[in-house]
């Protein structure tokens, strides 16, 4: 038996044992991919287990995240902060080894994977970021950014539609440092995939302009090494290495079948498997000589030391570049950014444009941000003229061109959003990308993953309501804003004018612990007058925009295009002797995080007559208006007609808001 196989068997044994102890999990894929993992991690992967955030490390993404015990075994054996006890605690409450790899839980996990194909999309973003960062900072003799992005993926990843979006784009861009190893075992949960997945994968990827490398045996460590070496030599095309493997390799009764895909092998089968593999050790037992060959701490330290020496010389020759690189990879904003941003917002309030669509107000904000933040990387899913995501500092990237800061992602909302997460995870950039709000549904899982990972990716969603008009109900979002608000840790901002849009952008850029979305109008909106204190309170998600003397009889709550409607309705009611407060609520997510005293100061509990007005679903507004309140919302699909006609048809008028308000006043 070769050393390659013996070392791979350590991964198989730990994976089998971990799944068996947890009484749940997926042992088959780790057992089938163990030889691929041994070849890559011991033969090629440049990383330092004692410094998992070393900037020039290779990135490794396990796209088929159900094979998590493979990654955990690799991290443990190579020297990361993951103990044997952690492996024994697989899938248990508060463990560092959850069922699918989670970013931020254990060092060495580069992205959260599990939804199949998502990791592949993230990896495309990581490879993009590497090329962009290298183009910006490398100088002759100083390749301070020079690493590969490796992906393990399975049949399920390639069946998911995101794989087409991501891989088509990667081939078009020529991401030569992206290398994917495809675990072609032909088995999914339902059994043999031949009846539902008969693609010619090689031809498919040749059509994407990838380098396609076929090997005979994906369980042959030497052959895999040859393939990776070949892949590394072509820097003009991403590479896919098609590795035919046996799922559950070594299992005499379950190997090659769906029986080992998503369930423990069982104690008896594990015993037989270890006998067949020539692994005469007990549960979680790895002999010292095998551990020594897996340990990557010394090699990793040497790799990083060499890079540190190179960077030190780079810093001496290019001090400004080195300082900027350090700031960017440490995710720090420029020192004067906050002050400049606040002064800019103040200037907008003092001299706002008289009437502006918030998508246009967003572009104004991006012109300011593009000048101040060189790390800002923009894009749109083939809607740049509508999303207005291009700013004055934007420079296009394209095939083999990575010295710009803007991507035309094509009609790929899901792929764009997953790649943006990957760019963010790589480090050095703050990506934002735009599409219509209605198409956030296509991107939804990537938005959810950004929130789960608590990473500050920025999403721009325009054409936010029936204000889309003539395009009709297929393009008019109704429930989308509410569903975004339901994602834990995801901040949605629906600003009412230029100043709120500017604040929303600044708050989103300054946020570090989660993603944000700006939900913006197609139609022009009135600009609101505010005091300095009101401008300050925009950042709290909700605030009193118009008030009355004493305790109000009624509170009108609006967002986005409906805030002005609330203001005019309040004026009408005030003329009739009613005391009305108008609350602008650009972000319910942010408002909900404020302390109780502040929330009560905006929405006094004793004022039970409340009306929420939003041209979208009423689903989330019950907790703000209470049982005695009401909503003027959109709980049905729209129609095709000019926007003004639609707002009138569906009750978004001063007269109707006044009517509903009177119905809740006692």
């Amino acid at each position: 038996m070769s050393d390659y196989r013996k070392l791979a068997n350590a991964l198989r044994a730990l994976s089998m044992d971990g799944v068996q102890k947890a009484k749940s999990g997926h042992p088959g894929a780790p057992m089938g991919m163990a030889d691929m993992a041994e070849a890559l991690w011991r033969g090629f992967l440049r990383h330092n287990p004692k410094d998992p955030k070393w900037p020039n490390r290779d990135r490794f993404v396990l796209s088929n995240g159900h094979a998590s015990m493979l990654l955990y075994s690799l991290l443990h054996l190579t020297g990361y902060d993951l103990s044997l006890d952690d492996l024994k605690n697989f899938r248990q409450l508060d463990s560092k080894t959850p069922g699918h790899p989670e970013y931020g839980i254990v060092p060495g996990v580069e992205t959260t994977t599990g939804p199949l194909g998502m990791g592949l999309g993230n990896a495309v973003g990581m490879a993009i970021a590497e090329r962009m960062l290298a183009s910006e900072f490398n100088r002759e003799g100083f390749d301070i950014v020079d690493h590969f992005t490796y992906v393990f993926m399975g049949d399920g990843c390639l069946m998911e539609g995101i794989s087409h979006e991501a891989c088509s784009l990667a081939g078009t861009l020529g991401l030569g440092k992206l290398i994917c190893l495809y675990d072609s075992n032909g088995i999914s949960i339902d059994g043999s995939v031949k009846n539902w997945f008969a693609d010619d994968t090689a031809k498919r990827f040749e059509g994407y302009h990838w380098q396609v490398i076929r090997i005979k045996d994906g369980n042959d460590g030497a052959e895999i090494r040859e393939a990776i070496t070949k892949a590394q030599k072509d820097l003009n095309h991403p590479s896919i290495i098609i590795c035919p493997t046996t799922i559950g390799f070594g299992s005499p009764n379950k190997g090659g079948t769906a029986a080992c895909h998503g369930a423990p092998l069982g104690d008896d089968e594990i015993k037989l498997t270890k006998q067949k593999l020539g692994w005469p050790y007990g549960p979680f037992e790895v002999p010292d000589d095998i551990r020594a060959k897996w340990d990557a701490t010394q090699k990793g330290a040497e790799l990083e030391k060499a890079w540190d020496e190179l960077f030190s010389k780079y810093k001496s020759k290019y001090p400004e570049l080195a300082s900027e690189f350090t700031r960017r990879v440490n995710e720090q904003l420029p020192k004067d950014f906050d002050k400049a941003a606040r002064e800019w917002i103040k200037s907008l309030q003092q001299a706002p444009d008289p009437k502006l669509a918030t998508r246009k107000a967003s572009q104004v904000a991006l012109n300011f941000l593009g000048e101040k933040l060189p790390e800002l990387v923009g894009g749109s899913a083939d809607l740049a003229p509508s999303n207005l995501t291009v700013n004055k500092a934007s420079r296009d990237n394209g095939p083999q061109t990575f010295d710009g800061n803007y991507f035309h992602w094509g009609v790929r909302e899901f792929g764009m959003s997953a790649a943006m997460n990957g760019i963010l995870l790589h480090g050095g950039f703050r990506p934002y990308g735009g599409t219509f709000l209605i198409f956030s549904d296509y991107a939804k899982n990537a938005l959810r993953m950004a929130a789960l990972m608590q990473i500050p990716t920025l999403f721009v969603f325009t054409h936010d309501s029936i204000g889309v008009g003539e395009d009709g109900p297929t393009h008019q979002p109704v429930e989308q804003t509410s569903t975004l608000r339901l994602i834990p840790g995801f901040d949605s901002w629906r600003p009412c004018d230029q100043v709120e849009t500017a604040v929303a952008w600044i708050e989103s850029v300054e946020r570090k612990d989660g993603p944000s979305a700006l939900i913006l109008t197609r139609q022009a909106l009135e600009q609101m007058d505010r005091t300095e204190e009101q401008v300050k309170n925009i950042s709290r998600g909700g605030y009193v925009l118009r008030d009355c003397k004493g305790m109000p009889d009624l509170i009108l709550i609006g967002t986005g295009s409906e805030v002005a409607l609330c203001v005019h309705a309040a004026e009408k009611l005030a003329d009739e002797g009613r005391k009305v407060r108008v609350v602008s609520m650009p972000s319910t997510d942010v408002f909900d995080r404020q302390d109780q005293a502040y929330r009560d100061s905006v929405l006094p509990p004793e004022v039970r007559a409340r009306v929420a007005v939003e041209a979208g679903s009423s689903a989330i507004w019950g907790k703000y208006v209470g049982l005695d309140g009401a909503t003027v919302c959109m709980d049905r699909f729209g129609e095709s007609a000019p926007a003004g006609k639609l707002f009138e048809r569906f009750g978004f008028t001063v007269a109707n808001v006044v009517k509903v308000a009177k119905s809740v006043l006692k």
Side-chain angles (χ1 to χ4, degrees):
M1 184 188 301
S2 69
D3 274 354
Y4 295 162
R5 178 58 53 78
K6 288 179 181 178
L7 293 163
N9 284 344
L11 300 174
R12 293 187 171 97
L14 289 174
S15 297
M16 285 187 287
D17 293 338
V19 171
Q20 187 64 31
K21 189 174 188 302
K23 295 183 172 59
S24 73
H26 301 75
M31 295 167 69
M33 293 191 293
D35 297 293
M36 295 161 54
E38 185 279 327
L40 175 63
W41 279 63
R42 293 192 65 257
F44 299 91
L45 197 71
R46 295 168 56 87
H47 63 122
N48 183 3
K50 298 306 180 186
D51 186 5
K53 292 296 185 181
W54 170 40
N56 201 41
R57 68 193 182 279
D58 289 335
R59 270 55 168 184
F60 173 77
V61 175
L62 183 70
S63 188
N64 44 350
H66 57 274
S68 56
M69 268 306 301
L70 175 68
L71 180 53
Y72 299 148
S73 300
L74 285 163
L75 295 173
H76 168 70
L77 289 174
T78 54
Y80 285 80
D81 183 19
L82 198 66
S83 69
L84 200 59
D85 285 339
D86 291 323
L87 299 192
K88 294 177 181 179
N89 209 26
F90 179 52
R91 289 187 163 223
Q92 304 310 299
L93 186 64
D94 297 328
S95 76
K96 293 171 67 175
T97 48
H100 294 82
E102 293 185 33
Y103 176 78
I105 298 295
V106 61
V109 174
E110 300 283 4
T111 181
T112 296
T113 56
L116 293 176
M118 181 73 73
L120 177 56
N122 296 159
V124 170
M126 292 175 186
I128 286 172
E130 191 273 343
R131 289 289 296 273
M132 291 179 65
L133 211 61
S135 179
E136 183 175 356
F137 288 100
N138 285 358
R139 295 294 182 268
E140 186 175 354
F142 293 96
D143 289 340
I144 62 169
V145 181
D146 182 14
H147 60 79
F148 287 89
T149 300
Y150 297 100
V151 183
F152 278 10
M153 58 190 187
D155 295 301
C157 293
L158 295 186
M159 284 187 252
E160 286 287 359
I162 190 175
S163 69
H164 168 70
E165 294 186 29
C167 296
S168 168
L169 180 66
T172 299
L173 294 176
L175 298 176
K177 288 187 177 180
L178 175 64
I179 299 176
C180 299
L181 285 79
Y182 166 34
D183 175 34
S184 179
N185 63 46
I187 298 293
S188 67
I189 290 176
D190 280 359
S192 174
V193 303
K194 62 184 179 182
N195 292 326
W196 53 84
F197 184 54
D199 298 13
D200 188 328
T201 298
K203 287 184 179 178
R204 173 185 168 186
F205 277 80
E206 287 169 357
Y208 291 151
H209 307 292
W210 284 51
Q211 175 183 208
V212 177
I213 302 172
R214 303 173 181 84
I215 65 176
K216 293 180 179 179
D217 185 359
N219 296 118
D220 184 328
E223 194 174 359
I224 297 164
R225 280 169 165 78
E226 291 178 6
I228 296 173
T229 299
K230 181 178 180 181
Q232 288 184 336
K233 292 178 180 178
D234 186 347
L235 296 181
N236 295 316
H237 304 88
S239 296
I240 180 173
I241 302 172
I242 301 175
C243 303
T245 64
T246 300
I247 190 172
F249 182 91
S251 173
N253 297 304
K254 298 184 179 182
T257 74
C260 65
H261 185 289
L265 295 180
D267 291 330
D268 291 341
E269 186 68 12
I270 288 177
K271 182 178 180 181
L272 293 173
T273 302
K274 288 184 176 180
Q275 288 176 355
K276 184 176 179 180
L277 293 173
W279 188 262
Y281 308 107
F284 298 100
E285 185 180 352
V286 179
D288 290 343
D289 62 324
I290 297 292
R291 285 188 174 278
K293 291 179 180 179
W294 268 111
D295 190 342
T297 55
Q298 181 177 345
K299 181 181 178 182
E302 292 171 355
L303 288 170
E304 184 168 357
K305 181 181 178 182
W307 183 86
D308 286 342
E309 292 172 353
L310 178 67
F311 189 76
S312 179
K313 296 176 182 177
Y314 177 85
K315 186 176 181 180
S316 296
K317 190 167 184 178
Y318 305 104
E320 292 184 3
L321 280 174
S323 177
E324 177 68 4
F325 179 83
T326 301
R327 178 186 73 81
R328 299 260 293 271
V329 299
N330 287 334
E331 302 174 3
Q332 298 171 340
L333 290 170
K335 291 181 180 179
D336 63 345
F337 177 77
D338 185 72
K339 180 181 178 182
R342 304 305 156 184
E343 291 176 352
W344 169 66
I345 291 169
K346 184 177 180 180
S347 72
L348 293 179
Q349 181 61 46
Q350 291 172 341
D353 287 321
K355 204 169 185 181
L356 207 63
T358 51
R359 62 170 174 159
K360 180 60 180 176
S362 172
Q363 188 176 49
V364 172
L366 284 169
N367 286 336
F368 169 80
L369 293 168
E371 180 184 342
K372 299 294 182 182
L373 301 176
E375 60 263 44
L376 200 64
V377 176
S380 178
D382 201 50
L383 290 168
S386 296
N387 297 149
L388 302 183
T389 45
V390 176
N391 67 75
K392 292 179 180 178
S394 295
R395 306 179 312 280
D396 286 353
N397 286 313
Q400 304 294 346
T401 304
F402 294 88
D403 57 357
N405 60 2
Y406 193 89
F407 284 96
H408 296 278
W409 294 100
V411 187
R412 298 183 178 96
E413 295 88 357
F414 195 5
M416 172 186 75
S417 300
M420 285 163 54
N421 287 344
I423 291 172
L424 193 289
L425 288 163
H426 177 279
F429 298 101
R430 286 299 303 276
Y432 71 90
T435 186
F436 288 171
L437 176 59
I438 193 71
F439 301 134
S440 64
D441 285 343
Y442 281 145
K444 181 70 175 298
N445 204 264
L447 310 186
R448 184 177 186 272
M449 288 297 103
L452 181 60
M453 291 188 281
Q454 299 181 349
I455 57 174
T457 316
L458 304 168
F459 302 95
V460 179
F461 298 127
T462 67
H463 296 62
D464 69 344
S465 72
I466 54 173
V468 171
E470 292 87 345
D471 276 344
T474 60
H475 284 57
Q476 292 168 4
V478 172
E479 76 279 14
Q480 281 70 27
T481 298
S482 287
T483 59
L484 293 178
R485 289 171 177 149
L486 293 175
I487 303 174
F490 189 99
D491 282 358
S492 297
W493 290 86
R494 189 169 184 253
C496 77
D497 66 1
Q498 184 175 7
V499 174
E500 282 194 359
T501 303
V503 172
W505 261 114
I506 298 303
E507 291 297 314
S508 299
V509 165
E510 291 185 340
R511 189 181 187 205
K512 293 185 177 181
D513 61 351
S516 301
L518 281 87
I519 299 171
L520 308 168
T521 65
R522 177 194 185 193
Q523 70 274 23
L525 305 181
E526 298 177 41
Q527 305 302 299
M528 300 290 112
D529 292 328
R530 297 177 185 83
T531 66
E532 186 176 335
E533 183 68 16
Q534 286 173 319
V535 173
K536 181 180 178 181
N537 285 336
I538 295 172
S539 64
R540 305 189 78 165
Y543 64 102
V544 178
L545 178 62
R546 295 287 184 273
D547 212 356
C548 56
K549 291 183 178 180
M551 188 63 67
D553 301 321
L554 169 75
I555 300 175
L556 296 178
I557 309 169
T559 74
S561 51
E562 288 67 66
V563 169
L565 179 57
C566 290
V567 169
H568 294 310
E571 292 169 349
K572 178 73 171 175
L573 288 163
D575 289 342
E576 299 177 9
R578 302 289 189 173
K579 294 194 295 182
V580 184
R581 170 178 290 184
V582 176
V583 170
S584 179
M585 188 84 76
S587 179
T588 59
D589 309 286
V590 175
F591 181 74
D592 288 348
R593 290 201 297 270
Q594 304 306 306
D595 61 83
Q596 188 67 51
Y598 178 76
R599 285 182 281 139
D600 287 348
S601 73
V602 175
L603 299 174
E606 57 266 40
V607 182
R608 299 175 67 88
R610 306 177 183 183
V611 178
V613 186
E614 183 172 58
S617 169
S618 64
I620 65 102
W621 289 108
K623 68 178 180 178
Y624 301 103
V625 301
L627 296 176
D628 297 326
T631 61
V632 178
C633 290
M634 191 73 192
D635 288 318
R636 54 153 289 180
F637 293 121
E639 296 180 13
S640 178
K645 296 289 186 181
L646 292 172
F647 282 121
E648 184 177 355
R649 166 67 65 86
F650 295 115
F652 295 97
T653 63
V654 170
N656 188 53
V657 173
V658 168
K659 177 183 176 182
V660 174
K662 288 180 177 179
S663 75
V664 301
L665 283 165
K666 305 300 182 183

